[in-house]
Each structure stands twice: as C-alpha cells, then as structure tokens.
Amino acid sequence: MPSSVFEPLELTNGKTLKNRLVKAAMEEGMADAQQRPGHELCGLYQRWAEGGVGVIITGNVMVDSLAMTGPGGVALQADADMEAFKRWAAAAKTNNTQVWMQINHPGRQVYKSMGGKALAPSAVALDLGKHSDKFATPKAMTEAEIEDVIERFVTTASQAQKAGFDGVQVHAAHGYLLAQFLSPLSNQRHDQWGGALENRSRLLLEIVQRIHQQCGEGFTLSVKLNSADFQRGGFDIGDAEQVVAQLEGAGVHVVELSGGSYESPAMQGRTADGRTLDREAYFLEFAERISSKTKVTIMTTGGVRRLATANRVVANGVELVGIASAMSFKHDLPNIWQTQPDYVAVIPPVNWKDKTMAAMATMSIIRRQLVRLGRGKAVQKKPSPAFALIADLLSKAKLTRRYRKLVVEG
Ligand SMILES: Cc1cc2nc3c(=O)[nH]c(=O)nc-3n(C[C@H](O)[C@H](O)[C@H](O)COP(=O)(O)O)c2cc1C
C-alpha cells in the first residue's frame, strides 16, 4: 500500500497519473453565452494544472443544452465549436496533468426559473421542504427519451475525446438523472428501467458500455457514484457495491465515491438520515469497503483539507483522493503540500443558523474565487458570505435571463 499521495498510479488501462491527488468536479457557472468554455475558464484550468494536481475533473458539462444544472454551465453536443473545447483541454493538460470531463444530465434537479427540460424516471418532484417550489415538476421519461439521453452521453464523450480530453467521468451521483434512476425513491418504474437494482442501473450501464465501445480502452472512463443517498429507503452501500461490480465488467477504470443529493447534501458533510460521516474524509469507510472488493481504481472525495488525511486515504487502499472546495482557495495545494506537509487548507466557515442558506453562501464564496482565479487575480482573504451570496444570486438571475432566451430559440 502506498503511504504517499505523491506516488504515481497506473490505471487499469495503462495510463499513468503523476500523483494521486485529483481536483474534483466543481461547476463554475463561467461558460460564455453559447455555453462554451471561454478565456476565463481556460485561465482557471491552467492555474490548477500548474498547481501540481495529478488529474483535473472538470465541472459538470451538460449532455443536453436544454437540460442544465444551472445557468452559466457548459454544454457539449454534436454541433459544438470544437476549438473552444480544444483550448480548454490544452490549458488543463499543462504540466503533465490529465484532464477528464465530467458529463451530466440534471434530470429533475432543474430550477423552475430556468425553463428547459425536466425529465426523470418517474414524475416524482424533489422534496426540499419550503424550497421545493424552486424546482421544476419532472415528466416521466418515454423509451425514446431514454434512448436520446444514452446517445447524448455517448456523443458528448466522443466530442470530449476529439477535443483532447484524456477521459470522461459520467456523473451518477448527487441526485442527478442517473442517480434518480438508481434510487428506488425517485425511480418507481415497472419496466426494464425500474424495480430491481439490475433494472435501475441499466441506464448507467448502457451509457458506460457504449462510451467504452465508442472511445476505446485508452480513453479513461470514470463514474461518480453515491456510496449511499443517505435517505431512508434510498440507494445504499450494498447497492453501490453491486453497481461497482457491474461497472468493472463494463470497462470502467475509475469510480469516485461521494454521497447525497439536493435533498440530503451528504457531499457537504450533512445527511438527511442523521448519520455521522468521517470528519475529514466523509466517505472513506464506504470507499475502503468497496475498494477491497474490486479491481476498479477507487477515489473518494469530501472533506479533505490536510495532507495527513489524504495520505490516510491511500494508506487504507483507496487509490485516489478528490479535493474540491479547498482547491478554490488554494489552486496550488499539491505544490504547497510538497514543501509544507503540515499546511491545512481553510474554507472560511459560514456559521448561519439556516443551514441551507449557509451552504448556499459557502458555494457562492467558492464560485467567486473560481472567477477570480480565472481572471488571474488573487483569491480573497476574508470574503463576506452575505455579499458573495447576493452577488451570486444577482449574477444567476442575469445568466438565467440569458439562458431563457436560448431555451426559447432552441
Ligand atoms: C462550487 C461547487 C460546485 C460543485 N460542482 C460539482 C459538479 O459539477 N459535479 C460534481 O460531481 N460535484 C460537484 N461538487 C461537489 C464536489 O465535487 C465534492 O464532491 C464536494 O464539494 C465535497 O468535496 P470537498 O469537501 O473537497 O469540497 C461541487 C462542489 C462545489 C463546492
């Protein structure tokens, strides 16, 4: 077992990563009006690459420009402007860094204010208490819509490969469409796409098999999967173990384990079922259990702020360590740890009573730093959560208006 995240790692497809630290996906909301990566997004990725991380996973890129997780997101379809995506991949590959594009479909996790499509396995709306009415009511997907989504994932993966990305990560966690199919709470279908786990996982399996067939063994194929939904009656660790075994058979090289959804934000360390997660590597226990039973490379993301924690993850047999939030304040955290191994990354805490608002403000603070990094500026030393949240909401409102025009035209 390696004792350091700075040891290289060879994946099962023969690709070598220079170290085991991965910048995990963070949706930046920085796309241009045509949903393409522009100058600032390339600047941000160049800085991360120079910062010493082994792999960069992009923020989620949508497979359908009319089904977006948020305004200002990137979409990659058959008719894409490939030059923009080539520049993005090249920036991220600086300094011998590998870059994998995360590809996603939001399913029912779509803001009502945005319009566009809100598809789901079943017509079951999100339950977010007093915040539920902010989300669209989904429509149960037809067979034709399911086939369309499969083709879109394959097309986006193939386009990413053509643009020079080293791989893709299919997002099947955090309550988005593929996670909605996996969970018996949101998937109440009685056909071949619902019911038993082998039916609920069929859509994910179809997608990864077809990407593997289309893009070949040399193109790294990853899946982000919940170790559990952390909701009573939802997708659980036993289900995750079985799905990882299926993914291994389907040619997947790396599985990133996370957890939760909008309804139960375990990826931020809070669960709806009140379970306590490992304080510094939320899903480590689950990841250890799964990694002992599979040949697929396992990665876990959530809560890592210290090198000692990252090293503990690899020493326990989990090969890759994902870091998201901390990389927004220290884009060069891996380089810093090489010379200052005791350095602790700090995300400014937001201690508001309303936990949902506090989590939103934290996300706003983080996104603000991403924009600054992309513009070549220094990150803020003491960001104001209230100011960041208001500025973010105003910017979202503007981006939503821009996106709605696209929906009308599209
Ligand atoms: C601003 C922000 C945007 C995020 N966007 C994504 C995303 O696009 N895809 C994804 O899989 N996870 C996303 N996440 C979740 C992270 O990848 C990660 O799982 C989570 O933040 C826990 O890791 P951390 O404690 O290192 O931040 C996002 C997190 C943040 C803070």
Side-chain angles (χ1 to χ4, degrees):
M1 229 54 101
S3 57
S4 165
V5 285
F6 290 111
E7 286 182 35
L9 175 73
E10 190 178 332
L11 301 178
T12 50
N13 65 349
K15 299 283 166 188
T16 301
L17 313 181
K18 69 177 178 180
N19 63 47
R20 293 151 189 257
L21 291 171
V22 182
K23 195 292 286 175
M26 275 187 282
E27 179 172 314
E28 313 84 5
M30 288 165 61
D32 70 13
Q34 279 74 45
Q35 303 174 308
R36 297 173 303 196
H39 181 66
E40 290 180 359
L41 210 47
C42 292
L44 170 63
Y45 278 72
Q46 172 112 17
R47 291 186 85 179
W48 271 325
E50 286 164 355
V53 77
V55 180
I56 294 177
I57 302 178
T58 68
N60 59 180
V61 170
M62 300 302 123
V63 300
D64 184 343
S65 65
L66 296 178
M68 306 289 293
T69 50
V74 178
L76 175 55
Q77 305 185 124
D79 59 353
D81 165 8
M82 293 302 281
E83 291 312 310
F85 287 90
K86 282 181 187 166
R87 283 193 291 273
W88 194 22
K93 287 171 78 156
T94 312
N95 195 18
N96 191 25
T97 313
Q98 301 252 324
V99 58
W100 303 339
M101 180 187 284
Q102 186 183 69
I103 59 179
N104 192 19
H105 189 297
R108 66 177 179 168
Q109 289 188 161
V110 166
Y111 294 101
K112 202 185 264 175
S113 58
M114 288 178 56
K117 302 175 192 169
L119 301 175
S122 308
V124 179
L126 270 181
D127 180 4
L128 283 174
K130 61 181 181 187
H131 299 291
S132 301
D133 66 350
K134 293 194 175 64
F135 289 87
T137 307
K139 166 186 174 301
M141 289 168 79
T142 62
E143 279 286 334
E145 283 164 338
I146 291 175
E147 182 53 37
D148 178 62
V149 162
I150 297 172
E151 278 167 22
R152 284 177 183 278
F153 270 99
V154 179
T155 301
T156 303
S158 168
Q159 293 284 69
Q161 184 176 35
K162 285 182 199 142
F165 287 82
D166 300 292
V168 284
Q169 179 178 71
V170 174
H171 199 346
H174 300 173
Y176 294 116
L177 182 69
L178 301 182
Q180 287 157 35
F181 268 85
L182 288 171
S183 167
L185 296 176
S186 42
N187 183 348
Q188 297 175 0
R189 299 178 76 99
H190 299 290
D191 59 4
Q192 58 161 339
W193 308 101
L197 181 61
E198 63 167 317
N199 287 349
R200 283 183 275 127
S201 62
R202 192 180 303 280
L203 179 57
L204 171 62
L205 263 288
E206 274 290 322
I207 288 170
V208 295
Q209 273 160 355
R210 279 161 63 171
I211 293 176
H212 189 245
Q213 235 166 31
Q214 170 78 29
C215 299
E217 178 65 6
F219 188 62
T220 302
L221 183 51
S222 169
V223 169
K224 188 160 181 168
L225 187 70
N226 275 357
S227 46
D229 288 346
F230 299 97
Q231 282 179 294
R232 212 177 296 257
F235 184 81
D236 64 18
I237 175 79
D239 295 334
E241 271 177 358
Q242 289 183 52
V243 172
V244 171
Q246 291 177 316
L247 295 174
E248 181 175 344
V252 168
H253 307 108
V254 179
V255 173
E256 175 184 353
L257 289 169
S258 185
S261 64
Y262 287 11
E263 288 179 339
S264 174
M267 61 286 206
Q268 295 168 351
R270 296 188 290 135
T271 71
D273 66 1
R275 247 184 281 183
T276 309
L277 300 170
D278 192 307
R279 204 165 58 84
E280 292 200 17
Y282 308 147
F283 307 108
L284 179 56
E285 208 182 303
F286 298 99
E288 277 173 33
R289 181 167 151 188
I290 289 179
S291 98
S292 66
K293 294 183 184 146
T294 179
K295 289 196 188 66
V296 170
T297 298
I298 297 293
M299 159 175 168
T300 186
T301 301
V304 176
R305 309 284 181 261
R306 304 164 201 264
L307 180 58
T309 310
N311 283 338
R312 180 160 67 93
V313 171
V314 295
N316 281 292
V318 177
E319 292 101 328
L320 290 171
V321 184
I323 306 178
S325 326
M327 296 281 289
S328 65
F329 277 89
K330 285 289 168 204
H331 69 279
D332 54 350
L333 192 56
N335 285 350
I336 294 175
W337 279 343
Q338 294 267 19
T339 55
Q340 301 172 57
D342 294 329
Y343 181 86
V344 183
V346 179
I347 319 294
V350 182
N351 298 315
W352 295 351
K353 260 202 199 133
D354 184 330
K355 296 288 169 227
T356 305
M357 293 299 280
M360 277 171 67
T362 301
M363 297 288 268
S364 302
I365 291 176
I366 290 172
R367 273 195 291 266
R368 199 168 177 79
Q369 310 317 312
L370 302 184
V371 174
R372 292 180 70 89
L373 287 169
R375 292 180 180 163
K377 291 186 180 171
V379 294
Q380 292 174 297
K381 288 221 166 64
K382 282 192 182 161
S384 149
F387 182 81
L389 181 58
I390 292 167
D392 201 23
L393 291 174
L394 289 174
S395 149
K396 278 224 174 92
K398 198 169 148 198
L399 291 172
T400 299
R401 284 194 294 277
R402 186 180 84 176
Y403 173 71
R404 285 189 74 95
K405 270 196 204 150
L406 260 180
V407 172
V408 173
E409 286 160 14

